[in-house]
Amino acid sequence: MGKSEPALYLGAARAEHAERIEDPALLRKSGEAASPMIGQALPLREDIRFLTGTGCYVDDIKRPDMAHAMVVRSALAHARIRAVDISAALALPGVLAVYSADDIRDYALPIPQRVCALPGLERFLQMPLADERARYVGEPIAMVVATSRAIAQDAAELVQVDYEQLPAVVDVHAALADQVILHDGPGTNLASHYTVGRGDADAAFANAHYTRSEVFNIHRHTALTLETRGFVAEWDAAAGRMQVWGGSKVLFANRTILASMLKLDEQCIDMIEVDIGGGFGVRGDFYPEDFLVPFAAMKLGRPVKWIEDRREHLMATNHSREMECRLEIAVSADGIILAMRGLLMADMGAYTRTNGGVGPGKGTQFLQGPYLIPHLEFEVQALMTNKTPVGTYRGPGRYESTFFRERLLDIAAVELGLDPAEFRLKNLIPPEAMPYDAGALVPGLPSTIYDTGDYPLVLRRALAEADYPALVAGRGRGADGRLYGVGMGCFVESTGGGPSEDARIQVTPDGRVELFIGASSAGQGHETVMAQVLADELDIGMDAIRVFHGSTTLVKRGFGAYHSRSAVMSGGAIVLVAQRLRQQLLAHVAASSGRAVESLTFARGAVRGSNDGAVLATLESLAQQASAGSVQAASALAAEATFSNDNQLTYTGGTQIAHVAVDTETAMVEVLRLLTVEDVGRMINPAVVHGQTIGAAVQGLGGTFLDEFVYDEQGQLLTGTLADYLLPTATDFPNVDGVSMEHARSLSNPLGVKGAGEGGIIATGAALANAVADALSPLGVQITRLPLSPNNIARLIRDAKARPGPGN
């Protein structure tokens, strides 16, 4: 087959986007004027304190008589713990306590799974301190508490652990062989094993015109937040109350776990959110230190602080991404994908973390991506190794599955003689198929329903924005001797995880409005974005609103900030609570004035007559009534509401296109441009969405080219400092662009919004790998694994040049 001319199918894209496409059926029916604040690219209020150094992070929390903790971590990846000698540490002046597994036995419980509990993973849960056996470098063995951090660090070095070293298991194939067993109870390293699918994949493959199989690998890496993890815990024995500062993401869920361990009622624990220096999925879930620090504070009767250092972060905070996938595709003679099947092997590390199942679970769920593939069959093997346990990292399972699928699509397109864009356009789910049932591909979860979207439209927009015909024309060796290539990746992303979220409003005595939400913030701009929503719903100015978020003291319950859910779930709760407040105010003024409620309206922050618009009561005047003792006014000025989406997720669709130049002499790749186009339904604050998109894309660039955890055969982490674990700098990837569309709004929340925090990372590995493979295609290089580091690229080029064949 000959290659199609790109211009043949690009013309429509430019015409379609001459103006924004809005489907009236998808617009929110509010009965009010167009929102003046939603859609405004306002600067973030919270940025002022961040930029001026006046933020309050966990290490800024200082309590009277506060002690400091240090964690003693395993130096070996796999070993029996014969004894832990703490005598020298206890003898050091200033040391208050040293805790080992024996000291916490009456309290500590295995840390439970929170989400995506794949069958079998419950057998591999972690205790807060290792008991009898250490299973990864960095596993907590003891905790020292002293009057200063320096003394605690010195004392930690005096704790002597007597190890009996055991053979380490450091890759999934060795784990599957079960020659060395990490956990005696289960008697196997295969933690979870299942098959999911739909249709008849085997029959489709048997009758296909073309089939192709390839094995892909993604390396282990994680998020490097600006601020490491940390906690301050304070126990008030007289009141029977525990306060904990430093948690994030899912404070209510973590409170439940902590309460069960400390044998306290949940209401006796206050999880207080402070400013957070980045989360990206790795911070905020329940780690061993989440128990150890409050436990020490309770036992010592004084506040205890623990702040993770950077090496601890690299060895102890959740790792992510490491997977191998053998993926097969079946295609008809006219280029239609008939079926896909595969085996996904996920390296889970030494234990199941609270969200460890998300990677493999969502990895297979999204292997089909945004394509209309009738027959699917995916086998999953989640395997335990002697490495740091894995958890979620921005776009968990999506980044991995998109790399696997989109690489295979490009390989197939080349072998079928199809342009990669044409091949994708043939197979993307059409808008008329929405809502689209993508099947039940995660054990214990319902069928995946893509709610709204026009994926071909998004791809065409990306091709137009990138000037794809010009990029295709410029492929090959340039005048500078470098090889130029272009690659793309299409993706779908689930957002707005349920089940519900709470919001509460209180009008203050001066007539201002305080908004309280349960969702945590780690850079998403809640104090601005949520105020924009409330400003519109109450028709008041932004300066009259103050937003409080995250802490368990604010609302009755909250489900946190993950799964790109804050705008969807908290935004929905804000709409409902604002509606309730308006109804209460109208009812109160109607009762006090003798008017019918129907004759009143709430507009521009005041109760007014519906006919003449005359002001009958302002928020300030009603607040004054409450201050004067009016119980009715006070009741009307406070409202609570819960928004529930019945776990109906909402899905974005996007495309990323990469243009690269590869120097075959130095193996250096220059990213000339990385473009992300994503339909997010509706933007509350376009500046925030754009920032999230660009930030996610840069994280994806780092993860694709630089970030990598490397272990030796003994399970020692070789890239455990920032001298070895590489990160992108501000100048490494200057050409990163993003376009956020507002075409297909969500139908599952009153704002019509979809989450926008993760889309920018999802297809980066795929698009960049496809672009590098396209550039190196004259050499016959095939890209099947990440990272695209200079060493790996150089090896591929060297091997290609050593093979006899065209161009060599």
Side-chain angles (χ1 to χ4, degrees):
M1 299 182 186
K3 287 193 175 182
S4 299
E5 169 56 48
L8 292 178
Y9 54 84
L10 277 180
R14 299 184 191 279
E16 286 168 345
H17 286 83
E19 59 183 8
R20 178 183 296 174
I21 298 175
E22 298 277 17
D23 183 348
L26 301 182
L27 297 178
R28 177 166 63 101
K29 304 297 191 296
S30 66
E32 298 179 359
S35 300
M37 297 309 300
I38 291 179
Q40 297 293 320
L42 301 180
L44 298 185
R45 298 167 155 187
E46 44 269 66
D47 283 355
I48 295 174
R49 67 174 184 272
F50 298 153
L51 295 172
T52 58
T54 56
C56 180
Y57 299 88
V58 63
D59 202 26
D60 296 316
I61 302 296
K62 295 175 174 60
R63 304 298 297 168
D65 200 29
M66 186 170 68
H68 298 262
M70 291 292 293
V71 178
V72 179
R73 301 184 182 277
S74 177
L76 298 178
H78 196 196
R80 288 192 179 89
I81 300 173
R82 291 172 172 155
V84 179
D85 184 355
I86 63 174
S87 58
L90 282 172
L92 188 68
V95 173
L96 303 172
V98 181
Y99 301 108
S100 64
D102 287 339
D103 299 300
I104 67 171
R105 204 174 304 279
D106 292 339
Y107 288 86
L109 299 170
I111 299 171
Q113 298 178 85
R114 180 177 59 83
V115 292
C116 207
L118 301 182
L121 292 185
E122 72 282 353
R123 299 172 295 166
F124 300 87
L125 303 179
Q126 183 174 6
M127 295 293 289
L129 290 174
D131 186 8
E132 298 183 356
R133 191 188 295 194
R135 294 181 174 88
Y136 66 96
V137 171
E139 180 172 3
I141 292 177
M143 189 174 76
V144 176
V145 185
T147 55
S148 73
R149 180 180 173 90
I151 294 174
Q153 187 166 3
D154 289 344
E157 295 174 0
L158 296 176
V159 175
Q160 298 296 312
V161 183
D162 182 11
Y163 297 105
E164 177 190 342
Q165 187 166 3
L166 301 171
V169 179
V170 294
D171 71 75
V172 291
H173 294 284
L176 187 61
D178 275 346
Q179 292 182 354
V180 176
I181 300 296
L182 272 67
H183 297 262
D184 293 336
T188 179
N189 298 322
L190 184 58
S192 186
H193 183 204
Y194 61 88
T195 300
V196 292
R198 69 161 183 246
D200 190 341
D202 290 343
F205 271 86
N207 297 310
H209 167 74
Y210 165 89
T211 64
R212 183 65 156 87
S213 175
E214 189 57 81
V215 177
F216 301 99
N217 286 271
I218 286 189
H219 59 300
R220 174 176 286 245
H221 56 288
T222 194
L224 267 289
T225 54
L226 283 173
E227 181 196 27
T228 58
R229 294 182 297 133
F231 295 99
V232 174
E234 183 171 3
W235 169 245
D236 185 338
R241 179 163 294 277
M242 176 70 73
Q243 289 185 298
V244 182
W245 293 263
S248 63
K249 186 178 177 178
V250 285
L251 293 173
F252 285 82
N254 288 354
R255 181 179 68 171
T256 299
I257 299 172
L258 181 60
S260 69
M261 292 190 182
L262 295 181
K263 298 176 173 53
L264 295 173
D265 187 279
E266 287 185 27
Q267 302 305 316
C268 295
I269 300 176
D270 295 334
M271 308 289 283
I272 302 171
E273 183 174 84
V274 293
D275 289 327
I276 303 295
F280 311 117
V282 303
R283 282 190 65 183
D285 272 283
F286 202 97
Y287 286 88
E289 298 84 2
D290 289 56
F291 163 76
L292 294 171
V293 178
F295 170 81
M298 175 180 280
K299 288 300 179 181
L300 292 172
R302 61 192 293 179
V304 176
K305 173 186 283 189
W306 169 76
I307 302 295
E308 180 183 62
D309 66 29
R310 185 57 70 182
R311 179 160 171 74
E312 282 184 295
H313 179 91
L314 287 164
M315 71 168 66
T317 295
N318 287 346
H319 291 184
S320 197
R321 303 285 198 228
E322 189 173 13
M323 293 185 191
E324 177 176 299
C325 184
R326 184 184 73 239
L327 193 60
E328 300 177 84
I329 192 170
V331 184
S332 70
D334 55 353
I336 301 300
I337 302 173
L338 302 174
M340 189 176 284
R341 64 188 178 191
L343 166 64
L344 188 147
M345 303 177 75
D347 188 327
M348 305 298 292
Y351 297 97
T352 300
R353 286 268 164 91
T354 59
N355 53 16
V358 174
K362 298 299 182 179
T364 48
Q365 181 183 20
F366 287 101
L367 268 174
Q368 64 185 305
Y371 301 100
L372 192 67
I373 307 176
H375 305 285
L376 304 169
E377 183 177 324
F378 301 127
E379 180 183 359
V380 174
Q381 295 176 342
L383 293 141
M384 312 309 291
T385 64
N386 290 118
K387 291 185 279 192
T388 300
V390 302
T392 57
Y393 170 34
R394 203 173 200 165
R398 289 81 154 173
Y399 174 94
E400 300 92 300
S401 60
T402 301
F403 168 72
F404 303 146
R405 177 190 66 252
E406 297 294 317
R407 273 302 296 132
L408 188 57
L409 289 186
D410 258 31
I411 291 170
V414 169
E415 294 179 357
L416 288 168
L418 295 171
D419 179 87
E422 177 190 14
F423 187 36
R424 287 170 170 82
L425 284 168
K426 280 176 174 284
N427 288 285
L428 286 169
I429 299 167
E432 59 269 21
M434 296 295 178
Y436 176 75
D437 188 341
L441 301 180
V442 183
L445 295 182
S447 191
T448 297
I449 307 296
Y450 298 166
D451 53 343
T452 63
D454 188 335
Y455 303 150
L457 182 69
V458 175
L459 174 55
R460 291 191 178 99
R461 174 68 182 270
L463 297 171
E465 290 284 344
D467 196 359
Y468 183 66
L471 296 184
V472 170
R475 296 168 62 241
R477 192 171 296 276
D480 58 2
R482 296 189 297 176
L483 294 174
Y484 289 77
V486 58
M488 67 188 68
C490 298
F491 66 89
V492 62
E493 160 66 343
S494 64
T495 74
S500 66
E501 200 60 60
D502 284 11
R504 180 169 64 89
I505 287 176
Q506 178 66 59
V507 180
T508 63
D510 60 357
R512 297 179 181 273
V513 179
E514 293 182 339
L515 170 65
F516 305 89
I517 57 174
S520 298
S521 179
Q524 302 97 320
H526 286 2
E527 293 167 34
T528 303
V529 173
M530 302 306 173
Q532 287 180 255
V533 176
L534 185 58
D536 275 3
E537 292 299 324
L538 292 182
D539 201 7
I540 60 177
M542 287 273 291
D543 58 352
I545 299 171
R546 188 178 180 189
V547 179
F548 301 86
H549 49 78
S551 300
T552 60
T553 56
L554 303 178
V555 291
K556 292 178 180 178
R557 61 181 177 177
F559 287 88
Y562 62 95
H563 206 160
S564 293
R565 69 186 301 274
S566 294
V568 175
M569 300 304 297
S570 289
I574 292 168
V575 171
L576 296 186
V577 76
Q579 291 175 352
R580 181 162 297 174
L581 183 73
R582 292 201 309 265
Q583 293 166 358
Q584 291 175 183
L585 295 174
L586 292 173
H588 171 69
V589 173
S592 60
S593 65
R595 296 182 177 228
V597 172
E598 295 76 16
S599 69
L600 305 177
T601 187
F602 189 89
R604 298 189 298 282
V607 177
R608 302 169 182 268
S610 298
N611 295 328
D612 57 9
V615 175
L616 302 177
T618 65
L619 291 178
E620 186 174 3
S621 67
L622 292 170
Q624 290 172 353
Q625 291 179 27
S627 298
S630 171
V631 175
Q632 293 81 6
S635 177
L637 292 171
E640 299 179 8
T642 298
F643 172 67
S644 175
N645 66 353
D646 297 321
N647 286 313
Q648 294 181 20
L649 301 178
T650 182
Y651 294 79
T652 70
T655 295
Q656 293 185 280
I657 296 179
H659 184 211
V660 303
V662 183
D663 187 326
T664 57
E665 297 301 317
T666 64
M668 294 300 295
V669 178
E670 181 183 358
V671 179
L672 303 173
R673 190 184 186 194
L674 177 64
L675 169 69
T676 302
V677 177
E678 183 180 15
D679 182 6
V680 299
R682 186 188 189 194
M683 290 183 281
I684 298 173
N685 186 317
V688 170
V689 173
H690 185 69
Q692 291 285 329
T693 299
I694 299 302
V698 172
Q699 275 191 312
L701 283 158
T704 301
F705 286 107
L706 301 171
D707 307 32
E708 183 179 16
F709 286 120
V710 179
Y711 284 82
D712 68 12
E713 293 180 356
Q714 287 73 46
Q716 289 293 325
L717 178 59
L718 303 180
T719 52
T721 72
L722 292 185
D724 308 296
Y725 189 94
L726 303 181
L727 295 171
T729 67
T731 58
D732 282 334
F733 304 113
N735 303 311
V736 181
D737 298 321
V739 175
S740 297
M741 299 172 61
E742 297 182 284
H743 173 67
R745 295 192 178 187
S746 171
L747 302 179
S748 61
N749 66 84
L751 291 172
V753 298
K754 301 181 179 184
E758 300 176 83
I761 201 172
I762 291 175
T764 49
L768 291 160
N770 283 338
V772 172
D774 183 49
L776 296 177
S777 59
L779 303 179
V781 168
Q782 195 65 273
I783 305 290
T784 60
R785 63 174 57 237
L786 297 179
L788 302 175
S789 63
N791 285 342
N792 288 343
I793 297 295
R795 176 181 53 78
L796 291 170
I797 293 172
R798 183 173 61 251
D799 292 348
K801 288 182 176 180
R803 291 194 300 267
N808 297 330

